[in-house]
Amino acid sequence: MYRPEELFNLSIKPRINDISLSILQEYYNMFLFPFIYTYSITDNYEKKKIQLHFDDIAFCHLLGIESIAKGHVKYNELSNYRGKKGWNNIKSGKINFQHLRDLNNKKFKNIKTKFVYFYLIPNLIEKPLAVKFDGNMVSPPVKIHCEILFYSSYNNSIVHLGIDKNKDDLFYYPRTFFVEKLSSKNIDDIYTINQIHISAKKENRIILL
């Protein structure tokens, strides 16, 4: 089982049996959660600065934890698999990979790539490629909502991180994380090929006090 520091320095993706949900949480807590990232965003029309923060309530959503539980627990129990409550349940050990497999093994397998590629997020956000994202520009259209989509290629896969900002919030937050596998029949990333490409340059990273 990898330690968080070892995950950070991996040159190949881990096997699912070499990681755990608690290890991914520790990893997030060490390499993403404590920081505010500032980016200079430039397109043909404007230049602006944005700040990105990975808070604890986003963790379960990025990994699709609630989607595994949906339909397999009572509706009023879904809150155990999202937000702060989900974060605390992972921290206490109530939610782990085996628990999620027992709930819905088919869905667990479908989103397993999220778990094994999650370690790449700190690397992705250092020098991201970026687009202004519109789900209607994907063929067929998708129900993915975010203002900006960061992405990077890795071993015939494209790792995506969608970020967004609520109207009254100070920081952008991570809204979605997913991986698209490429192949000889699927050589283009459908999520970025038809989008407006922009420049996203990381200017600094500071510790959130």
Side-chain angles (χ1 to χ4, degrees):
M1 193 74 68
Y2 287 115
R3 301 193 309 272
E5 300 89 342
E6 293 172 321
L7 270 183
F8 186 77
N9 292 306
L10 279 185
S11 58
I12 57 172
K13 71 178 186 294
R15 297 180 306 165
I16 191 68
N17 292 334
D18 291 330
I19 57 177
S20 68
L21 204 48
S22 62
I23 290 296
L24 294 182
Q25 186 181 52
E26 288 182 53
Y27 185 80
Y28 187 89
N29 208 32
M30 290 177 64
F31 298 109
L32 294 168
F33 185 29
F35 307 106
I36 298 171
Y37 298 83
T38 301
Y39 295 88
S40 176
I41 304 293
T42 308
D43 62 23
N44 292 330
Y45 304 100
E46 65 175 338
K47 183 175 183 178
K48 64 179 180 179
K49 292 186 187 300
I50 68 168
Q51 291 185 308
L52 172 64
H53 178 231
F54 291 78
D55 57 20
D56 53 3
I57 64 174
F59 181 74
C60 288
H61 182 69
L62 291 177
L63 287 174
I65 303 299
E66 183 182 356
S67 69
I68 295 174
K70 191 172 290 186
H72 294 266
V73 300
K74 294 177 181 178
Y75 180 78
N76 61 3
E77 295 176 356
L78 277 177
S79 62
N80 291 318
Y81 298 87
R82 61 175 178 249
K84 185 73 173 182
K85 201 168 183 180
W87 173 269
N88 289 335
N89 284 334
I90 292 169
K91 191 172 184 179
S92 70
K94 291 180 180 178
I95 297 176
N96 54 38
F97 281 166
Q98 190 57 54
H99 174 73
L100 296 176
R101 285 189 177 104
D102 291 342
L103 276 182
N104 187 353
N105 191 47
K106 181 178 180 181
K107 184 66 174 180
F108 181 90
K109 289 181 177 179
N110 285 344
I111 67 171
K112 187 173 70 173
T113 53
K114 284 178 176 277
F115 301 130
V116 298
Y117 282 91
F118 191 78
Y119 80 104
L120 289 173
I121 293 180
N123 183 62
L124 164 62
I125 62 177
E126 282 296 312
K127 294 182 179 180
L129 299 171
V131 296
K132 284 187 173 181
F133 187 75
D134 180 351
N136 291 319
M137 297 301 293
V138 180
S139 181
V142 293
K143 294 181 180 179
I144 295 174
H145 302 286
C146 62
E147 179 184 329
I148 296 171
L149 188 65
F150 287 169
Y151 68 100
S152 183
S153 61
Y154 176 85
N155 279 9
N156 296 319
S157 298
I158 308 295
V159 181
H160 306 82
L161 179 73
I163 66 173
D164 216 339
K165 185 175 184 288
N166 291 325
K167 184 178 179 181
D168 298 322
D169 286 349
L170 179 62
F171 302 119
Y172 278 72
Y173 65 95
R175 182 162 185 171
T176 185
F177 170 68
F178 60 97
V179 180
E180 174 77 355
K181 295 289 187 73
L182 302 181
S183 66
S184 58
K185 296 181 179 179
N186 179 29
I187 61 174
D188 294 317
D189 178 21
I190 63 171
Y191 298 98
T192 60
I193 189 172
N194 295 321
Q195 307 291 338
I196 298 174
H197 289 256
I198 59 178
S199 169
K201 181 179 179 181
K202 194 198 83 174
E203 294 194 346
N204 58 47
R205 184 189 74 168
I206 61 173
I207 296 177
L208 181 64
L209 299 177

